[in-house]
C-alpha cells in the first residue's frame, strides 16, 4: 500500500504539471489575443487572456499554501512548446490566418477543460485539506465553465470566418 508521503509527492507532481500547462496556456492566450486585436475577436480574447493569467496566479497561490514549489524546467518546456506550436501549418506561408485563430481557440478550449478538471479535483479534496478554500475553488470552477462556453462561441464564429 502506498504511503501518505507517496500521495503527497503525486499531488505535488499533479500541481506542477498543471502549472506547466497553465504557463503554456497563458502564452497561447496572450498571443491569440494579440493576433486578433482590432477584429471582432480581439476584445473577448483579451478578456479571456487576462482571466487565464489570473487563474495561473491563483494556482501559484494555492501551490504556495500547499508548500509546493514550481518546477521551473517543466514551466520553461511548456513555454517553449507553445512557441514551437507557432510553426504549425495554417494555410499561408507567412502570417496569421483564419485557420490559425480557429486552431488556437480549440487549443484554448482543451487547456481550459484541463483547468476545470484541476479545480474540480481540488474542490473534491478541499473537505480534508484546510489549505484549500472550497468557496474560492467553486468560483474558479464556475469561471472555467464560463470560459469554455465563451471559447466555444468564439470557435463557432471563427469556423464561420475560416470556412466562408
Amino acid at each position: 500500500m502506498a504511503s501518505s508521503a507517496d500521495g503527497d509527492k503525486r499531488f505535488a507532481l499533479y500541481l506542477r504539471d498543471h502549472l506547466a500547462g497553465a504557463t503554456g496556456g497563458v502564452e497561447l492566450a496572450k498571443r491569440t489575443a494579440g493576433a486578433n486585436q482590432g477584429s471582432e475577436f480581439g476584445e473577448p480574447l483579451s478578456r479571456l487572456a487576462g482571466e487565464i493569467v489570473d487563474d495561473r496566479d491563483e494556482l501559484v497561490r494555492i501551490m504556495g499554501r500547499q508548500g509546493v514549489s514550481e518546477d521551473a524546467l517543466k514551466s520553461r518546456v511548456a513555454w517553449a512548446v507553445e512557441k514551437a506550436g507557432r510553426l504549425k501549418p495554417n494555410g499561408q506561408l507567412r502570417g496569421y490566418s483564419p485557420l490559425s485563430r480557429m486552431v488556437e481557440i480549440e487549443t484554448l478550449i482543451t487547456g481550459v477543460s484541463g483547468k476545470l478538471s484541476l479545480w474540480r479535483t481540488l474542490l473534491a479534496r478541499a473537505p480534508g485539506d484546510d489549505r484549500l478554500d472550497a468557496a474560492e475553488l467553486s468560483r474558479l470552477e464556475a469561471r472555467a465553465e464560463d470560459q469554455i462556453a465563451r471559447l466555444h462561441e468564439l470557435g463557432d464564429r471563427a469556423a464561420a470566418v475560416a470556412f466562408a
Side-chain angles (χ1 to χ4, degrees), residues 20-78:
T23 299
V26 162
E27 292 302 312
L28 175 61
K30 287 179 178 179
R31 178 168 52 92
T32 305
N36 284 280
Q37 280 184 323
S39 77
E40 67 178 288
F41 298 94
E43 188 281 322
L45 286 169
S46 291
R47 190 167 52 119
L48 279 160
E51 292 174 9
I52 290 169
V53 169
D54 292 344
D55 291 343
R56 184 191 185 280
D57 293 344
E58 292 275 2
L59 177 55
V60 168
R61 283 189 285 280
I62 290 167
M63 288 173 66
R65 290 193 302 267
Q66 294 289 323
V68 176
S69 62
E70 177 178 4
D71 182 329
L73 177 60
K74 274 186 185 180
S75 291
R76 282 195 299 272
V77 168

Side-chain angles (χ1 to χ4, degrees), residues 92-151:
Q92 291 183 187
L93 289 177
R94 297 174 47 93
Y96 199 78
S97 81
L99 186 57
S100 301
R101 175 187 307 116
M102 193 177 133
V103 169
E104 289 171 355
I105 290 170
E106 288 177 349
T107 303
L108 286 169
I109 290 168
T110 300
V112 174
S113 295
K115 178 176 61 180
L116 175 59
S117 293
L118 165 69
W119 300 143
R120 288 179 175 166
T121 297
L122 295 178
L123 190 55
R125 184 180 167 101
D129 187 337
D130 61 359
R131 298 167 297 178
L132 293 171
D133 180 341
E136 171 190 39
L137 293 166
S138 291
R139 180 185 59 77
L140 292 167
E141 176 187 34
R143 181 160 69 180
E145 289 171 340
D146 180 61
Q147 289 168 350
I148 291 168
R150 287 184 282 145
L151 282 163

